[in-house]
Structure formats: structure tokens, C-alpha cells
Amino acid sequence: MSDQPFSDGFDRAAIDRERSRSALDERVCRLICPIAAAMVGVCLTGIGLLHVGIASGRRASFADDLLAVDALIFLIAMLASYLAVRTPAARRRAWLHRLEQVADATFIIAMLLLTAACFVITYAVSA
């Protein structure tokens, strides 16, 4: 088929590009949602291990506070991606890109914070 406009003035290529961009954004959200949910579990496991270490006589660490905040940020990323996928088709175009951007940004921030928490845990345990 050619890139000629439809008889009613719509450009077929522009519509196809919009559909593929929409599908790509939905795929990103479908990836972020389960990964962010799993990372909340990782943060909670880390907090639990740190509290076991504190109970056995080690000093308290700033790392468990970082992990708690990190779990909340991962939860925001997961909820944004979940809502982007679950939004009804009629409202999806208006919200999908915004929710996908929120999910992306919060996921990256949370991964950076998790990395910082790993450094804090490493140096707190070795000190």
C-alpha cells in the first residue's frame, strides 16, 4: 500500500506509526511492572537481613532506610506501569505516554538508589 492519504484526509503511514509507538510503549510498561514488583521484594529482603544483623549485635545502618524508600519508589514504578497497561483503550492515548514516562523515570531512580544502598551495605558490613 502506498502512503497516500485516505479519502477522508487521514494519512495511513501516520496512523501506522502511532499504532506502533503505542504498542512499543505498552511493551515497556509490561516489562517494568513485574520487574519493579520483584525489586520491592528484593528491598524487603535486604531490610530483613539488615535487621537480623542489627539484632545479632551489629550497629544500625542507614542502608535499611535507603531500601525502604527504594521499595516505595519501585512500587510507584510498578503502579504506573500497571495502570498504563490496564487503562481502557478509549483513555489510553491520553495517559499511556505520561504513565510510561513516570514508570521509566521512577524505575531508573529506584535502581540507582538500590545501587547506592548496596554500596552502603558493603561498606557498613566491612567497617
PDB file of all heavy atoms in Angstrom, residues 49-84:
ATOM      1  N   LEU A  49      17.272  -8.738  56.258  1.00  0.00           N
ATOM      2  CA  LEU A  49      18.630  -9.210  56.559  1.00  0.00           C
ATOM      3  C   LEU A  49      19.405  -8.195  57.396  1.00  0.00           C
ATOM      4  O   LEU A  49      20.156  -8.568  58.310  1.00  0.00           O
ATOM      5  CB  LEU A  49      19.379  -9.507  55.260  1.00  0.00           C
ATOM      6  CG  LEU A  49      18.886 -10.731  54.488  1.00  0.00           C
ATOM      7  CD1 LEU A  49      19.580 -10.816  53.136  1.00  0.00           C
ATOM      8  CD2 LEU A  49      19.103 -11.996  55.299  1.00  0.00           C
ATOM      9  N   LEU A  50      19.210  -6.917  57.100  1.00  0.00           N
ATOM     10  CA  LEU A  50      19.888  -5.895  57.899  1.00  0.00           C
ATOM     11  C   LEU A  50      19.383  -5.890  59.337  1.00  0.00           C
ATOM     12  O   LEU A  50      20.165  -5.726  60.279  1.00  0.00           O
ATOM     13  CB  LEU A  50      19.708  -4.517  57.263  1.00  0.00           C
ATOM     14  CG  LEU A  50      20.514  -4.278  55.989  1.00  0.00           C
ATOM     15  CD1 LEU A  50      20.107  -2.973  55.330  1.00  0.00           C
ATOM     16  CD2 LEU A  50      22.001  -4.273  56.295  1.00  0.00           C
ATOM     17  N   HIS A  51      18.103  -6.096  59.528  1.00  0.00           N
ATOM     18  CA  HIS A  51      17.553  -6.124  60.884  1.00  0.00           C
ATOM     19  C   HIS A  51      18.008  -7.362  61.646  1.00  0.00           C
ATOM     20  O   HIS A  51      18.221  -7.296  62.859  1.00  0.00           O
ATOM     21  CB  HIS A  51      16.027  -6.026  60.845  1.00  0.00           C
ATOM     22  CG  HIS A  51      15.560  -4.628  60.631  1.00  0.00           C
ATOM     23  ND1 HIS A  51      15.336  -3.746  61.652  1.00  0.00           N
ATOM     24  CD2 HIS A  51      15.310  -3.943  59.497  1.00  0.00           C
ATOM     25  CE1 HIS A  51      14.952  -2.582  61.176  1.00  0.00           C
ATOM     26  NE2 HIS A  51      14.938  -2.672  59.853  1.00  0.00           N
ATOM     27  N   VAL A  52      18.176  -8.473  60.966  1.00  0.00           N
ATOM     28  CA  VAL A  52      18.745  -9.660  61.606  1.00  0.00           C
ATOM     29  C   VAL A  52      20.178  -9.363  62.040  1.00  0.00           C
ATOM     30  O   VAL A  52      20.598  -9.726  63.136  1.00  0.00           O
ATOM     31  CB  VAL A  52      18.681 -10.880  60.656  1.00  0.00           C
ATOM     32  CG1 VAL A  52      19.533 -12.031  61.172  1.00  0.00           C
ATOM     33  CG2 VAL A  52      17.247 -11.320  60.463  1.00  0.00           C
ATOM     34  N   GLY A  53      20.932  -8.693  61.182  1.00  0.00           N
ATOM     35  CA  GLY A  53      22.299  -8.329  61.527  1.00  0.00           C
ATOM     36  C   GLY A  53      22.366  -7.371  62.700  1.00  0.00           C
ATOM     37  O   GLY A  53      23.225  -7.494  63.582  1.00  0.00           O
ATOM     38  N   ILE A  54      21.433  -6.428  62.763  1.00  0.00           N
ATOM     39  CA  ILE A  54      21.397  -5.478  63.872  1.00  0.00           C
ATOM     40  C   ILE A  54      21.040  -6.208  65.169  1.00  0.00           C
ATOM     41  O   ILE A  54      21.620  -5.951  66.226  1.00  0.00           O
ATOM     42  CB  ILE A  54      20.385  -4.341  63.575  1.00  0.00           C
ATOM     43  CG1 ILE A  54      20.913  -3.462  62.438  1.00  0.00           C
ATOM     44  CG2 ILE A  54      20.114  -3.503  64.813  1.00  0.00           C
ATOM     45  CD1 ILE A  54      19.883  -2.498  61.881  1.00  0.00           C
ATOM     46  N   ALA A  55      20.095  -7.154  65.091  1.00  0.00           N
ATOM     47  CA  ALA A  55      19.688  -7.908  66.279  1.00  0.00           C
ATOM     48  C   ALA A  55      20.816  -8.788  66.804  1.00  0.00           C
ATOM     49  O   ALA A  55      20.879  -9.073  68.002  1.00  0.00           O
ATOM     50  CB  ALA A  55      18.464  -8.766  65.959  1.00  0.00           C
ATOM     51  N   SER A  56      21.720  -9.206  65.935  1.00  0.00           N
ATOM     52  CA  SER A  56      22.818 -10.070  66.375  1.00  0.00           C
ATOM     53  C   SER A  56      24.017  -9.275  66.864  1.00  0.00           C
ATOM     54  O   SER A  56      25.067  -9.845  67.106  1.00  0.00           O
ATOM     55  CB  SER A  56      23.237 -11.005  65.242  1.00  0.00           C
ATOM     56  OG  SER A  56      23.834 -10.260  64.190  1.00  0.00           O
ATOM     57  N   GLY A  57      23.871  -7.984  67.025  1.00  0.00           N
ATOM     58  CA  GLY A  57      24.926  -7.210  67.646  1.00  0.00           C
ATOM     59  C   GLY A  57      25.630  -6.216  66.752  1.00  0.00           C
ATOM     60  O   GLY A  57      26.436  -5.421  67.231  1.00  0.00           O
ATOM     61  N   ARG A  58      25.360  -6.206  65.485  1.00  0.00           N
ATOM     62  CA  ARG A  58      25.979  -5.202  64.619  1.00  0.00           C
ATOM     63  C   ARG A  58      25.281  -3.871  64.815  1.00  0.00           C
ATOM     64  O   ARG A  58      24.147  -3.808  65.241  1.00  0.00           O
ATOM     65  CB  ARG A  58      25.889  -5.620  63.154  1.00  0.00           C
ATOM     66  CG  ARG A  58      26.716  -6.829  62.835  1.00  0.00           C
ATOM     67  CD  ARG A  58      26.742  -7.006  61.327  1.00  0.00           C
ATOM     68  NE  ARG A  58      27.445  -8.205  60.981  1.00  0.00           N
ATOM     69  CZ  ARG A  58      28.688  -8.207  60.518  1.00  0.00           C
ATOM     70  NH1 ARG A  58      29.336  -7.092  60.341  1.00  0.00           N
ATOM     71  NH2 ARG A  58      29.268  -9.338  60.224  1.00  0.00           N
ATOM     72  N   ARG A  59      25.971  -2.811  64.460  1.00  0.00           N
ATOM     73  CA  ARG A  59      25.381  -1.480  64.615  1.00  0.00           C
ATOM     74  C   ARG A  59      24.351  -1.199  63.514  1.00  0.00           C
ATOM     75  O   ARG A  59      24.385  -1.809  62.445  1.00  0.00           O
ATOM     76  CB  ARG A  59      26.473  -0.417  64.607  1.00  0.00           C
ATOM     77  CG  ARG A  59      27.205  -0.353  63.310  1.00  0.00           C
ATOM     78  CD  ARG A  59      28.249   0.714  63.335  1.00  0.00           C
ATOM     79  NE  ARG A  59      28.733   0.832  61.955  1.00  0.00           N
ATOM     80  CZ  ARG A  59      29.841   1.377  61.622  1.00  0.00           C
ATOM     81  NH1 ARG A  59      30.615   1.874  62.534  1.00  0.00           N
ATOM     82  NH2 ARG A  59      30.206   1.447  60.367  1.00  0.00           N
ATOM     83  N   ALA A  60      23.456  -0.271  63.823  1.00  0.00           N
ATOM     84  CA  ALA A  60      22.409   0.098  62.867  1.00  0.00           C
ATOM     85  C   ALA A  60      23.027   0.770  61.642  1.00  0.00           C
ATOM     86  O   ALA A  60      24.077   1.390  61.720  1.00  0.00           O
ATOM     87  CB  ALA A  60      21.408   1.027  63.535  1.00  0.00           C
ATOM     88  N   SER A  61      22.346   0.642  60.533  1.00  0.00           N
ATOM     89  CA  SER A  61      22.858   1.169  59.275  1.00  0.00           C
ATOM     90  C   SER A  61      21.830   2.068  58.620  1.00  0.00           C
ATOM     91  O   SER A  61      20.621   1.917  58.813  1.00  0.00           O
ATOM     92  CB  SER A  61      23.193   0.001  58.349  1.00  0.00           C
ATOM     93  OG  SER A  61      23.513   0.465  57.076  1.00  0.00           O
ATOM     94  N   PHE A  62      22.320   2.985  57.827  1.00  0.00           N
ATOM     95  CA  PHE A  62      21.486   3.869  57.028  1.00  0.00           C
ATOM     96  C   PHE A  62      20.887   3.115  55.844  1.00  0.00           C
ATOM     97  O   PHE A  62      19.914   3.547  55.239  1.00  0.00           O
ATOM     98  CB  PHE A  62      22.381   5.037  56.564  1.00  0.00           C
ATOM     99  CG  PHE A  62      21.736   6.001  55.638  1.00  0.00           C
ATOM    100  CD1 PHE A  62      20.630   6.741  56.034  1.00  0.00           C
ATOM    101  CD2 PHE A  62      22.219   6.185  54.353  1.00  0.00           C
ATOM    102  CE1 PHE A  62      20.035   7.638  55.176  1.00  0.00           C
ATOM    103  CE2 PHE A  62      21.633   7.080  53.492  1.00  0.00           C
ATOM    104  CZ  PHE A  62      20.533   7.805  53.902  1.00  0.00           C
ATOM    105  N   ALA A  63      21.432   1.946  55.554  1.00  0.00           N
ATOM    106  CA  ALA A  63      21.030   1.185  54.370  1.00  0.00           C
ATOM    107  C   ALA A  63      19.585   0.725  54.435  1.00  0.00           C
ATOM    108  O   ALA A  63      18.895   0.705  53.416  1.00  0.00           O
ATOM    109  CB  ALA A  63      21.952  -0.013  54.185  1.00  0.00           C
ATOM    110  N   ASP A  64      19.085   0.349  55.619  1.00  0.00           N
ATOM    111  CA  ASP A  64      17.696  -0.112  55.675  1.00  0.00           C
ATOM    112  C   ASP A  64      16.720   1.025  55.394  1.00  0.00           C
ATOM    113  O   ASP A  64      15.663   0.804  54.789  1.00  0.00           O
ATOM    114  CB  ASP A  64      17.379  -0.811  56.996  1.00  0.00           C
ATOM    115  CG  ASP A  64      17.618   0.054  58.213  1.00  0.00           C
ATOM    116  OD1 ASP A  64      18.314   1.077  58.092  1.00  0.00           O
ATOM    117  OD2 ASP A  64      17.108  -0.305  59.292  1.00  0.00           O
ATOM    118  N   ASP A  65      17.074   2.253  55.759  1.00  0.00           N
ATOM    119  CA  ASP A  65      16.237   3.402  55.397  1.00  0.00           C
ATOM    120  C   ASP A  65      16.244   3.625  53.881  1.00  0.00           C
ATOM    121  O   ASP A  65      15.210   3.905  53.285  1.00  0.00           O
ATOM    122  CB  ASP A  65      16.723   4.667  56.105  1.00  0.00           C
ATOM    123  CG  ASP A  65      16.604   4.570  57.615  1.00  0.00           C
ATOM    124  OD1 ASP A  65      15.700   3.848  58.094  1.00  0.00           O
ATOM    125  OD2 ASP A  65      17.411   5.208  58.314  1.00  0.00           O
ATOM    126  N   LEU A  66      17.420   3.503  53.275  1.00  0.00           N
ATOM    127  CA  LEU A  66      17.514   3.632  51.819  1.00  0.00           C
ATOM    128  C   LEU A  66      16.678   2.574  51.110  1.00  0.00           C
ATOM    129  O   LEU A  66      15.978   2.870  50.143  1.00  0.00           O
ATOM    130  CB  LEU A  66      18.977   3.504  51.358  1.00  0.00           C
ATOM    131  CG  LEU A  66      19.875   4.708  51.465  1.00  0.00           C
ATOM    132  CD1 LEU A  66      21.291   4.348  51.037  1.00  0.00           C
ATOM    133  CD2 LEU A  66      19.350   5.846  50.640  1.00  0.00           C
ATOM    134  N   LEU A  67      16.743   1.353  51.611  1.00  0.00           N
ATOM    135  CA  LEU A  67      15.985   0.270  50.988  1.00  0.00           C
ATOM    136  C   LEU A  67      14.479   0.466  51.155  1.00  0.00           C
ATOM    137  O   LEU A  67      13.709   0.120  50.260  1.00  0.00           O
ATOM    138  CB  LEU A  67      16.416  -1.083  51.553  1.00  0.00           C
ATOM    139  CG  LEU A  67      17.803  -1.560  51.120  1.00  0.00           C
ATOM    140  CD1 LEU A  67      18.179  -2.831  51.873  1.00  0.00           C
ATOM    141  CD2 LEU A  67      17.854  -1.784  49.627  1.00  0.00           C
ATOM    142  N   ALA A  68      14.049   1.020  52.282  1.00  0.00           N
ATOM    143  CA  ALA A  68      12.618   1.267  52.483  1.00  0.00           C
ATOM    144  C   ALA A  68      12.112   2.324  51.501  1.00  0.00           C
ATOM    145  O   ALA A  68      11.052   2.161  50.879  1.00  0.00           O
ATOM    146  CB  ALA A  68      12.361   1.711  53.918  1.00  0.00           C
ATOM    147  N   VAL A  69      12.858   3.400  51.324  1.00  0.00           N
ATOM    148  CA  VAL A  69      12.488   4.437  50.356  1.00  0.00           C
ATOM    149  C   VAL A  69      12.535   3.853  48.944  1.00  0.00           C
ATOM    150  O   VAL A  69      11.649   4.124  48.119  1.00  0.00           O
ATOM    151  CB  VAL A  69      13.420   5.665  50.490  1.00  0.00           C
ATOM    152  CG1 VAL A  69      13.210   6.642  49.352  1.00  0.00           C
ATOM    153  CG2 VAL A  69      13.203   6.347  51.826  1.00  0.00           C
ATOM    154  N   ASP A  70      13.523   3.040  48.697  1.00  0.00           N
ATOM    155  CA  ASP A  70      13.673   2.416  47.382  1.00  0.00           C
ATOM    156  C   ASP A  70      12.485   1.512  47.062  1.00  0.00           C
ATOM    157  O   ASP A  70      11.996   1.502  45.928  1.00  0.00           O
ATOM    158  CB  ASP A  70      14.973   1.618  47.355  1.00  0.00           C
ATOM    159  CG  ASP A  70      15.456   1.346  45.961  1.00  0.00           C
ATOM    160  OD1 ASP A  70      15.130   2.127  45.045  1.00  0.00           O
ATOM    161  OD2 ASP A  70      16.174   0.350  45.776  1.00  0.00           O
ATOM    162  N   ALA A  71      12.001   0.764  48.045  1.00  0.00           N
ATOM    163  CA  ALA A  71      10.837  -0.095  47.836  1.00  0.00           C
ATOM    164  C   ALA A  71       9.617   0.742  47.453  1.00  0.00           C
ATOM    165  O   ALA A  71       8.839   0.354  46.572  1.00  0.00           O
ATOM    166  CB  ALA A  71      10.547  -0.917  49.090  1.00  0.00           C
ATOM    167  N   LEU A  72       9.458   1.897  48.071  1.00  0.00           N
ATOM    168  CA  LEU A  72       8.336   2.778  47.723  1.00  0.00           C
ATOM    169  C   LEU A  72       8.459   3.311  46.296  1.00  0.00           C
ATOM    170  O   LEU A  72       7.464   3.397  45.569  1.00  0.00           O
ATOM    171  CB  LEU A  72       8.250   3.939  48.706  1.00  0.00           C
ATOM    172  CG  LEU A  72       7.761   3.575  50.105  1.00  0.00           C
ATOM    173  CD1 LEU A  72       7.851   4.794  51.025  1.00  0.00           C
ATOM    174  CD2 LEU A  72       6.357   3.038  50.052  1.00  0.00           C
ATOM    175  N   ILE A  73       9.674   3.650  45.880  1.00  0.00           N
ATOM    176  CA  ILE A  73       9.874   4.151  44.521  1.00  0.00           C
ATOM    177  C   ILE A  73       9.619   3.043  43.497  1.00  0.00           C
ATOM    178  O   ILE A  73       8.992   3.273  42.461  1.00  0.00           O
ATOM    179  CB  ILE A  73      11.275   4.769  44.364  1.00  0.00           C
ATOM    180  CG1 ILE A  73      11.418   5.981  45.293  1.00  0.00           C
ATOM    181  CG2 ILE A  73      11.524   5.204  42.920  1.00  0.00           C
ATOM    182  CD1 ILE A  73      12.824   6.533  45.370  1.00  0.00           C
ATOM    183  N   PHE A  74      10.073   1.829  43.794  1.00  0.00           N
ATOM    184  CA  PHE A  74       9.759   0.699  42.908  1.00  0.00           C
ATOM    185  C   PHE A  74       8.256   0.465  42.842  1.00  0.00           C
ATOM    186  O   PHE A  74       7.718   0.127  41.788  1.00  0.00           O
ATOM    187  CB  PHE A  74      10.468  -0.576  43.363  1.00  0.00           C
ATOM    188  CG  PHE A  74      11.873  -0.719  42.856  1.00  0.00           C
ATOM    189  CD1 PHE A  74      12.927  -0.855  43.736  1.00  0.00           C
ATOM    190  CD2 PHE A  74      12.141  -0.738  41.504  1.00  0.00           C
ATOM    191  CE1 PHE A  74      14.226  -0.989  43.276  1.00  0.00           C
ATOM    192  CE2 PHE A  74      13.438  -0.879  41.026  1.00  0.00           C
ATOM    193  CZ  PHE A  74      14.475  -1.005  41.926  1.00  0.00           C
ATOM    194  N   LEU A  75       7.570   0.640  43.968  1.00  0.00           N
ATOM    195  CA  LEU A  75       6.118   0.475  43.975  1.00  0.00           C
ATOM    196  C   LEU A  75       5.439   1.508  43.075  1.00  0.00           C
ATOM    197  O   LEU A  75       4.504   1.183  42.339  1.00  0.00           O
ATOM    198  CB  LEU A  75       5.584   0.586  45.405  1.00  0.00           C
ATOM    199  CG  LEU A  75       4.078   0.418  45.568  1.00  0.00           C
ATOM    200  CD1 LEU A  75       3.652  -0.987  45.170  1.00  0.00           C
ATOM    201  CD2 LEU A  75       3.673   0.730  46.993  1.00  0.00           C
ATOM    202  N   ILE A  76       5.921   2.747  43.090  1.00  0.00           N
ATOM    203  CA  ILE A  76       5.374   3.784  42.211  1.00  0.00           C
ATOM    204  C   ILE A  76       5.590   3.404  40.750  1.00  0.00           C
ATOM    205  O   ILE A  76       4.690   3.534  39.916  1.00  0.00           O
ATOM    206  CB  ILE A  76       5.998   5.158  42.528  1.00  0.00           C
ATOM    207  CG1 ILE A  76       5.537   5.636  43.902  1.00  0.00           C
ATOM    208  CG2 ILE A  76       5.646   6.187  41.454  1.00  0.00           C
ATOM    209  CD1 ILE A  76       6.304   6.836  44.426  1.00  0.00           C
ATOM    210  N   ALA A  77       6.788   2.909  40.422  1.00  0.00           N
ATOM    211  CA  ALA A  77       7.075   2.477  39.047  1.00  0.00           C
ATOM    212  C   ALA A  77       6.158   1.338  38.635  1.00  0.00           C
ATOM    213  O   ALA A  77       5.615   1.326  37.520  1.00  0.00           O
ATOM    214  CB  ALA A  77       8.533   2.050  38.918  1.00  0.00           C
ATOM    215  N   MET A  78       5.952   0.390  39.538  1.00  0.00           N
ATOM    216  CA  MET A  78       5.094  -0.748  39.230  1.00  0.00           C
ATOM    217  C   MET A  78       3.652  -0.307  39.036  1.00  0.00           C
ATOM    218  O   MET A  78       2.985  -0.733  38.089  1.00  0.00           O
ATOM    219  CB  MET A  78       5.192  -1.792  40.353  1.00  0.00           C
ATOM    220  CG  MET A  78       4.510  -3.111  40.054  1.00  0.00           C
ATOM    221  SD  MET A  78       2.772  -3.225  40.498  1.00  0.00           S
ATOM    222  CE  MET A  78       2.758  -2.793  42.197  1.00  0.00           C
ATOM    223  N   LEU A  79       3.159   0.562  39.897  1.00  0.00           N
ATOM    224  CA  LEU A  79       1.779   1.023  39.775  1.00  0.00           C
ATOM    225  C   LEU A  79       1.565   1.838  38.498  1.00  0.00           C
ATOM    226  O   LEU A  79       0.534   1.700  37.835  1.00  0.00           O
ATOM    227  CB  LEU A  79       1.386   1.850  40.998  1.00  0.00           C
ATOM    228  CG  LEU A  79       1.166   1.050  42.284  1.00  0.00           C
ATOM    229  CD1 LEU A  79       0.938   2.000  43.458  1.00  0.00           C
ATOM    230  CD2 LEU A  79       0.026   0.075  42.131  1.00  0.00           C
ATOM    231  N   ALA A  80       2.524   2.683  38.146  1.00  0.00           N
ATOM    232  CA  ALA A  80       2.393   3.478  36.919  1.00  0.00           C
ATOM    233  C   ALA A  80       2.365   2.582  35.691  1.00  0.00           C
ATOM    234  O   ALA A  80       1.552   2.777  34.782  1.00  0.00           O
ATOM    235  CB  ALA A  80       3.534   4.493  36.815  1.00  0.00           C
ATOM    236  N   SER A  81       3.226   1.583  35.658  1.00  0.00           N
ATOM    237  CA  SER A  81       3.231   0.685  34.501  1.00  0.00           C
ATOM    238  C   SER A  81       1.975  -0.186  34.477  1.00  0.00           C
ATOM    239  O   SER A  81       1.411  -0.450  33.415  1.00  0.00           O
ATOM    240  CB  SER A  81       4.490  -0.176  34.476  1.00  0.00           C
ATOM    241  OG  SER A  81       4.531  -1.031  35.593  1.00  0.00           O
ATOM    242  N   TYR A  82       1.507  -0.612  35.631  1.00  0.00           N
ATOM    243  CA  TYR A  82       0.278  -1.408  35.694  1.00  0.00           C
ATOM    244  C   TYR A  82      -0.922  -0.599  35.206  1.00  0.00           C
ATOM    245  O   TYR A  82      -1.732  -1.085  34.411  1.00  0.00           O
ATOM    246  CB  TYR A  82       0.045  -1.890  37.130  1.00  0.00           C
ATOM    247  CG  TYR A  82      -1.236  -2.657  37.305  1.00  0.00           C
ATOM    248  CD1 TYR A  82      -1.326  -3.984  36.921  1.00  0.00           C
ATOM    249  CD2 TYR A  82      -2.358  -2.052  37.850  1.00  0.00           C
ATOM    250  CE1 TYR A  82      -2.497  -4.697  37.072  1.00  0.00           C
ATOM    251  CE2 TYR A  82      -3.540  -2.748  38.005  1.00  0.00           C
ATOM    252  CZ  TYR A  82      -3.606  -4.073  37.624  1.00  0.00           C
ATOM    253  OH  TYR A  82      -4.774  -4.761  37.772  1.00  0.00           O
ATOM    254  N   LEU A  83      -1.024   0.636  35.662  1.00  0.00           N
ATOM    255  CA  LEU A  83      -2.130   1.491  35.232  1.00  0.00           C
ATOM    256  C   LEU A  83      -2.065   1.790  33.733  1.00  0.00           C
ATOM    257  O   LEU A  83      -3.095   1.893  33.069  1.00  0.00           O
ATOM    258  CB  LEU A  83      -2.156   2.783  36.038  1.00  0.00           C
ATOM    259  CG  LEU A  83      -2.574   2.630  37.500  1.00  0.00           C
ATOM    260  CD1 LEU A  83      -2.397   3.954  38.236  1.00  0.00           C
ATOM    261  CD2 LEU A  83      -3.990   2.121  37.614  1.00  0.00           C
ATOM    262  N   ALA A  84      -0.864   1.927  33.204  1.00  0.00           N
ATOM    263  CA  ALA A  84      -0.717   2.178  31.773  1.00  0.00           C
ATOM    264  C   ALA A  84      -1.223   0.992  30.957  1.00  0.00           C
ATOM    265  O   ALA A  84      -1.844   1.167  29.914  1.00  0.00           O
ATOM    266  CB  ALA A  84       0.741   2.467  31.427  1.00  0.00           C
TER     267      ALA A  84
END
